[in-house]
Amino acid sequence: TGISLIGAPVDSGQRNRGCLMGPAAYRVARLAESLHDLGHQVRDLGDLVLPPLSGATCTNPAVDQLPETLGWTQVLSDSVAAELSAGQLPIIMGGDHALALGSVSGAARHAAAAGRPLFLLWLDAHTDFHTPLSTVSGNLHGTPVAYIAGRQDFDAFPPFPAPIPGERICMFGIRSVDPAEHAALLKFDIAINDMRVLDEQGVVAPLRAFLDKVRAANGMLHVSLDVDFLDPSIAPAVGTTVPGGATFREAHLVCELLHESGLMTSLDLVELNPFLDERGRTAKLMVDLVGSLMGRKVFDRVTRSFT
Ligand code: ARG
Ligand code: MN
Ligand code: MN
Ligand code: MN
């Protein structure tokens, strides 16, 4: 499979400017070159461009930059659906997490057309399960999972093409949930592997349980990796740091297991804010994690069976 890198300089999902520099930082950190060195065919499609804005409004006056986020949703959905249809593995270089409103929408359109179920792995400190009406901050990067799961209250948005049932959604790294998100999540059967679960069980057993379901269903798998999944001590370049995140090895192990599963069909890299980075260390760590996701191993002769 060829890899298509899609630059998505989305900065409309929150008020802490800087995520628009994410795609440039991934290029400076040599994401394409590192994937090429692993033996992949890589095409960098350049950055998506925001279309002319609508005058959309929301009854919740807190909601910020709705027309911009709607525009990005549309172009991302089209781009991801087109790359998947061409047989490519799209990697979206964000951009804040609002971009997942569009990227997962594109993946869902493609999966529905291909007659395959779409699964979602959400690697994040946050559940991002607000709707435009429930959000307190008004930052739409806190809403994509609710949209994807088919919650209502997205009246300004196009209807989500094929909502993903909760049983096909799995979250890892959760340690910040707002009260309205918590109440709504109780009505969904989403596997929420919060940091307590990872402390007690590690990443292997919960991830294996989820990947077994994807494989058994011949599913497609979209992975959405938020920088704040990682502990802020190793990944400072994000506007919404939360202490107690995934360690370096926990994160790499998740990526290595995903690679060995062979199941991932699309990937978001979100919330990198290069303005907050320290000599590029967060961008470099994200590029290294993508390397593990796409096949880099410490020692290639060791055969591990992960099923
Ligand atoms: N729950 C908070 C909010 O809605 C934080 C969301 C953070 N989301 C993210 N993608 N970093 O404002
Ligand atoms: Mn997020
Ligand atoms: Mn987050
Ligand atoms: Mn951000």
Side-chain angles (χ1 to χ4, degrees), residues 168-185:
R168 290 195 217 137
I169 302 175
C170 180
M171 299 186 176
F172 267 77
I174 301 305
R175 56 200 186 278
S176 172
V177 187
D178 294 343
E181 294 179 287
H182 191 275
L185 281 163

Side-chain angles (χ1 to χ4, degrees), residues 222-299:
H222 183 94
V223 176
S224 205
L225 171 58
D226 185 323
V227 169
D228 67 37
F229 168 66
L230 307 164
D231 193 81
S233 63
I234 56 169
V238 60
T240 48
T241 51
V242 189
T247 66
F248 182 91
R249 272 308 308 164
E250 284 170 334
H252 272 285
L253 185 53
V254 167
C255 293
E256 290 158 3
L257 296 174
L258 278 165
H259 171 73
E260 284 163 31
S261 80
L263 292 168
M264 183 179 76
T265 45
S266 44
L267 171 67
D268 302 325
L269 306 174
V270 303
E271 295 286 334
L272 176 68
N273 183 338
F275 198 68
L276 305 176
D277 212 352
E278 298 164 358
R279 302 187 76 89
R281 63 189 291 221
T282 310
K284 287 184 212 163
L285 174 56
M286 289 291 281
V287 168
D288 279 351
L289 288 170
V290 177
S292 287
L293 268 170
M294 297 308 300
R296 190 174 51 243
K297 294 183 179 61
V298 179
F299 200 74

Side-chain angles (χ1 to χ4, degrees), residues 4 8 15 39 69-70 76 80 88 90 99-100 106 116 121 123 146 158 166 176 187 199 211 271 295 305:
S4 292
R15 291 170 169 89
T69 296
L70 279 166
L76 271 148
V80 169
Q88 295 283 106
L99 71 82
R116 292 174 66 188
L121 178 62
L123 305 172
S176 172
K187 298 178 200 123
D199 290 344
L211 294 177
E271 295 286 334
S305 63

Side-chain angles (χ1 to χ4, degrees), residues 58 60 63 101 128-140 142-147 150-155 157 180-181 184 188:
C58 179
N60 177 0
V63 167
L101 294 156
D128 294 343
F129 209 66
H130 275 295
T131 71
L133 294 189
S134 80
T135 175
V136 178
S137 68
N139 296 331
L140 291 172
T143 67
V145 184
Y147 183 54
R151 283 189 73 191
Q152 306 303 313
D153 302 352
F154 281 86
D155 56 347
F157 285 75
E181 294 179 287
F188 286 77

